[in-house]
Every structure is written in structure tokens, then in C-alpha cells.
């Protein structure tokens, strides 16, 4: 059972504001309250954002057979079909009514670093969409700059040195993954989200990593639940913000902060309209050990989570939420 859906108000942080302490205070309040906030004045032009969305749409408009040629591989690079992902198996029927495309850190196949779980070559639809790779690689670079700026404010909010997350083992050699997302309209799928029947654009989940930058079109769909233990759960819509990012904290930051900062449940519930969004997931390096920060523990508040490497943690989370690739053996042409 759920309460009626309302809209939530999120703090808005300008990366161009010279008053850093104001930004830190706004972020800290947001992280303690909901783990979600807006970021504006981030330096990525609206013209370029529009181009990224246009190129994303061009890919998802391709015939299904063309998209399946680029089915995600063992490195989670490439296309994820409708229902590939099931984020909330206890409450979902089938899976997420969305399709996506993963683009990670580009590392040539003959580079020893490509042996790491989340490094390697990407898959590109270059034959059918010649401009696509250039646009996506540029966005990947620019979004990482934004993420590092946000991470500096987070560091200050946790009473750490401003460059804590800039170190090589943190975001200096980060696992950063761009994911294009397309939620088909009800006309195509015959499915409008219906939580009572277990039908969602994306099931309830929290993100795996450090932070996520989300850009969306103007179609409302994202909902957050600030208290996952409440009965009934209270879900609130997050309004799209043109030109801005919706930023949320991931589970790794909750572990790092010993539960001080929140990684919040969220989901996508759609009214039948088509929706596009672009998520940018930012995690530290493969070998980074995620353990309680010194500023977040004390004798009365000991560490709540055991240390774990970023690579091991992410690998398990991806395995838990995605379909086995063997299930596509007959359909990949």
C-alpha cells in the first residue's frame, strides 16, 4: 500500500557560486534529508546537452535487430533491451520497461588495464550513426569534470580535505559509466506504469556507487522515497530541471559516511508518455577500498559496514540486477 504521490522540493546548488560554504551547507542538508539535489551552472552548454539527447534518440530509433548487434557484453558495455534489468524483484513483474546503452571508460583491448572488470573498449554504432561516438565521448569527459566538482563539495561537507576524492585511487582513475535510457510510451508497449500491479519504468532501487548525475527531458517520472522503512512508503515526484542535473548519492557514499549521508530509494513511474534520460554513474577506482571515513566514526558510532573494494562491490551489484547474457544467445544476430 502506498500514500498519494506529491512533488518534493530539492535544494539547488550552483557550481558557479563563489560562496563555497553556502554550497556546502545546501549539499549537507540535502544529503542528510534525501540524498538528492539539483546542480546548475555546471559548464555543459544547453546546446550540447540537446545534441546528446538527439543522438541518444537516433540510436533508440534504430530497428531492434540493429540494436541487438550491440547487446551489452561481459563488461556491461552496449545495449540493454526492454526487461533486461529487474531492480526490485520483490515488487516487480517481468522487469524494467526501459531500454538503455552503457558507455564506460574507453580502454583498448590490448591494454593490460582492459583486463579489469569495468575497463575495456566500448561498443559503437559507428556504421549507422557516424557522429555518435564523438558526441558521447565528449559528454563522458565533460560530465566527469562536473562530478569531480560536486565531489569536492561533498568532501567539505564530510569535513575532509577538498581534494579527498581527487586522488588517483578515488576519482583520479575512476570507473565512470554513461547510460542512455529510453522509456517507451504506452502506445508502443501497451504498458503504463502501475505500482499496484508491479509494472514500473524502473523498479525501486538505490544506486551502487559514489554519485549519479541525471539529465532528463521534460517528462515527469522519477520518484524518491526518503524513508524506505516507512509503512506505507511515501513516494514523491522529482520535477525535471532543464539545463540542470538531478544528483543523488549512491550506496558507496552511504558506506563511506557510515550512514550519515543517505543513498535513497528511487524508481520511475510513467503515465504512458515516452521519456528519455541520461545517467552518469561515478565510482572510484577498481582497487579503492570503501571503508568508514575517519570523520564519520567514533567510539559511540563505530563502522557499520565492513571494508570492500569498489570492483568487488560493483561486480556483485551488476550481477544481481541484470539478466544472464546467455538468455540472449538466440536473439543476438
Amino acid at each position: 500500500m502506498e500514500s498519494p504521490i506529491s512533488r518534493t522540493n530539492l535544494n539547488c546548488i550552483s557550481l558557479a557560486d563563489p560562496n563555497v560554504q553556502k554550497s556546502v551547507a545546501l549539499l549537507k542538508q540535502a544529503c542528510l534529508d534525501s540524498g538528492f539535489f539539483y546542480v546548475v551552472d555546471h559548464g555543459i552548454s544547453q546546446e550540447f546537452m540537446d545534441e546528446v539527447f538527439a543522438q541518444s534518440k537516433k540510436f533508440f530509433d534504430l530497428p531492434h535487430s540493429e540494436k541487438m548487434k550491440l547487446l551489452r557484453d561481459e563488461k556491461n558495455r552496449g545495449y540493454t533491451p526492454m526487461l533486461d534489468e529487474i531492480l526490485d524483484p520483490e515488487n516487480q513483474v517481468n522487469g524494467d520497461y526501459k531500454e538503455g546503452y552503457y558507455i564506460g571508460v574507453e580502454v583498448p583491448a590490448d591494454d593490460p588495464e582492459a583486463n579489469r572488470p569495468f575497463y575495456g573498449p566500448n561498443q559503437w554504432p559507428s556504421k549507422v550513426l557516424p557522429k555518435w561516438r564523438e558526441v558521447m565521448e565528449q559528454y563522458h569527459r565533460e560530465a566527469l569534470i562536473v562530478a569531480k566538482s560536486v565531489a569536492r563539495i561533498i568532501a567539505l561537507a564530510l569535513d575532509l580535505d577538498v581534494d579527498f576524492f581527487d586522488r588517483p585511487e578515488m576519482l583520479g582513475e575512476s570507473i565512470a559509466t554513461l547510460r542512455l535510457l529510453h522509456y517507451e510510451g504506452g502506445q508502443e508497449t501497451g504498458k503504463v506504469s502501475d505500482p499496484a500491479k508491479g509494472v514500473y519504468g524502473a523498479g525501486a532501487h538505490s544506486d551502487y556507487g559514489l554519485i549519479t548525475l541525471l539529465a532528463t527531458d521534460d517528462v515527469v517520472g522519477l520518484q524518491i522515497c526518503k524513508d524506505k522503512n516507512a509503512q506505507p512508503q511515501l513516494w514523491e515526484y522529482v520535477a525535471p530541471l532543464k539545463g540542470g542535473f538531478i544528483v543523488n548519492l549512491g550506496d558507496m557514499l552511504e558506506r563511506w559516511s557510515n550512514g550519515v549521508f543517505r543513498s535513497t530509494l528511487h524508481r520511475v513511474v510513467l503515465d504512458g508518455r515516452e521519456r528519455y534520460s541520461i545517467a552518469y554513474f561515478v565510482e572510484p577506482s577498481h582497487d579503492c577500498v570503501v571503508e568508514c571515513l575517519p570523520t564519520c566514526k567514533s567510539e559511540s558510532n563505530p563502522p557499520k559496514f565492513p571494508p570492500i573494494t569498489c570492483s568487488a562491490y560493483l561486480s556483485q551489484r551488476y550481477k544481481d540486477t541484470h539478466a544472464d547474457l546467455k538468455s540472449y544467445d538466440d536473439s543476438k544476430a
Side-chain angles (χ1 to χ4, degrees), residues 52-318:
V52 178
F53 272 96
Q55 291 294 328
S56 173
K57 185 177 188 304
K58 283 184 179 180
F59 174 79
F60 290 120
D61 282 346
L62 291 173
H64 181 70
S65 58
E66 281 293 323
K67 292 183 284 192
M68 287 300 288
K69 292 176 183 177
L70 295 161
L71 180 70
R72 67 177 171 88
D73 56 22
E74 297 79 10
K75 300 271 189 176
N76 282 300
R77 307 295 179 88
Y79 177 60
T80 54
M82 198 75 62
L83 306 181
D84 177 79
E85 197 171 8
I86 182 161
L87 292 166
D88 185 13
E90 288 187 14
N91 296 301
Q92 273 183 278
V93 175
N94 298 323
D96 289 1
Y97 281 89
K98 70 176 191 291
E99 54 182 346
Y101 202 96
Y102 281 118
I103 301 166
V105 177
E106 179 73 25
V107 177
D110 58 359
D111 188 315
E113 287 289 297
N115 293 319
R116 290 173 170 264
F118 295 96
Y119 279 177
N122 287 295
Q123 300 193 70
W124 302 107
S126 300
K127 290 182 180 178
V128 287
L129 298 172
K131 279 187 64 179
W132 210 79
R133 175 173 181 170
E134 178 187 348
V135 170
M136 297 307 165
E137 288 192 323
Q138 181 182 341
Y139 183 76
H140 198 289
R141 290 191 301 270
E142 294 194 17
L144 184 58
I145 294 170
V146 177
K148 288 180 177 180
S149 296
V150 175
R152 291 183 191 111
I153 302 174
I154 291 173
L156 293 173
L158 288 169
D159 297 320
L160 302 166
D161 291 338
V162 66
D163 61 353
F164 179 84
F165 292 109
D166 287 333
R167 294 178 295 168
E169 67 270 26
M170 297 288 185
L171 299 184
E173 298 173 2
S174 64
I175 299 170
T177 304
L178 169 62
R179 193 178 190 195
L180 311 173
L181 293 164
H182 173 224
Y183 301 84
E184 289 188 353
Q187 298 81 1
E188 286 84 2
T189 62
K191 293 288 185 183
V192 175
S193 295
D194 186 347
K197 295 182 179 177
V199 178
Y200 300 89
H205 65 286
S206 55
D207 288 348
Y208 316 151
L210 183 66
I211 57 172
T212 303
L213 309 180
L214 182 71
T216 74
D217 61 14
D218 59 359
V219 177
V220 174
L222 177 64
Q223 296 180 348
I224 66 174
C225 175
K226 295 177 183 177
D227 183 0
K228 61 186 176 185
N229 297 317
Q231 291 297 333
Q233 288 183 334
L234 176 64
W235 290 91
E236 300 173 278
Y237 275 111
V238 175
L241 182 65
K242 189 171 181 65
F245 285 112
I246 300 167
V247 182
N248 65 281
L249 311 183
D251 296 340
M252 276 189 201
L253 192 53
E254 183 170 299
R255 291 176 76 105
W256 249 320
S257 70
N258 210 23
V260 174
F261 281 3
R262 310 265 303 281
S263 176
T264 300
L265 272 185
H266 52 285
R267 67 188 187 185
V268 175
V269 174
L270 296 167
D271 59 9
R273 287 180 292 170
E274 191 174 33
R275 179 177 182 263
Y276 291 88
S277 65
I278 300 170
Y280 190 75
F281 303 103
V282 183
E283 282 85 48
S285 72
H286 284 79
D287 298 328
C288 180
V289 177
V290 181
E291 58 184 336
C292 185
L293 295 166
T295 57
C296 298
K297 62 183 177 182
S298 63
E299 284 188 17
S300 60
N301 186 29
K304 298 179 175 68
F305 307 97
I308 189 170
T309 65
C310 176
S311 178
Y313 184 74
L314 286 180
S315 295
Q316 189 58 51
R317 292 295 298 270
Y318 273 93

